[in-house]
Amino acid sequence: MVENDGHCRNTLILNRPEWNVLEGTQADLQFFDGRPFKGIDLLAGGLPCPPFSVAGKQLGKADERNLFPDALRVVDETRPKAIMIENVRGFLGAVFADYRQQLKRQLAKLGYETD
């Protein structure tokens, strides 16, 4: 588990003590090295939503909190059998159509079909 919020991390550790919940820089997706996990079955995660939320400024890929590039790097490093990345409904807006297509093309280059 990669979780950079201390409260969430503590909740995970309390409720799932058998899980490997990373701390420090390892718990930051920007610094996470997925190579030791190559070949996992599933890479699942929720990326920060403010860059794409209709309640925010909708800066998308220009927002420093956009972790899609880091998620794609981890996909490349781990090469999981399946990927599930969730975000907010605002990500489906027309304003992000080009960015979604770019992400789909990058995943296709890695050998993944997207929907």
Side-chain angles (χ1 to χ4, degrees):
M1 292 289 300
V2 177
E3 175 57 67
N4 70 345
D5 182 286
H7 296 294
C8 294
R9 196 170 42 251
N10 289 340
T11 299
L12 288 166
I13 291 168
L14 178 67
N15 289 293
R16 299 288 190 258
E18 69 279 8
W19 286 6
N20 180 20
V21 183
L22 302 177
E23 297 188 53
T25 57
Q26 288 184 320
D28 186 329
L29 191 60
Q30 295 176 347
F31 301 104
F32 177 74
D33 179 5
R35 292 174 294 182
F37 302 95
K38 190 169 185 100
I40 58 177
D41 289 332
L42 173 67
L43 177 67
L47 302 178
C49 62
F52 306 99
S53 175
V54 295
K57 296 180 182 176
Q58 292 196 307
L59 297 175
K61 68 179 181 179
D63 193 307
E64 65 185 17
R65 297 167 292 185
N66 174 24
L67 293 182
F68 274 102
D70 294 294
L72 289 175
R73 175 187 50 79
V74 173
V75 167
D76 190 28
E77 290 174 351
T78 59
R79 295 300 178 122
K81 293 177 185 171
I83 304 161
M84 182 182 69
I85 299 174
E86 64 90 17
N87 207 273
V88 293
R89 185 174 183 85
F91 185 67
L92 297 175
V95 68
F96 301 120
D98 289 343
Y99 189 55
R100 285 193 312 275
Q101 290 307 312
Q102 176 188 346
L103 294 171
K104 287 181 175 188
R105 282 191 299 274
Q106 289 174 291
L107 286 166
K109 286 182 183 176
L110 295 173
Y112 295 95
E113 294 180 29
T114 61
D115 185 21

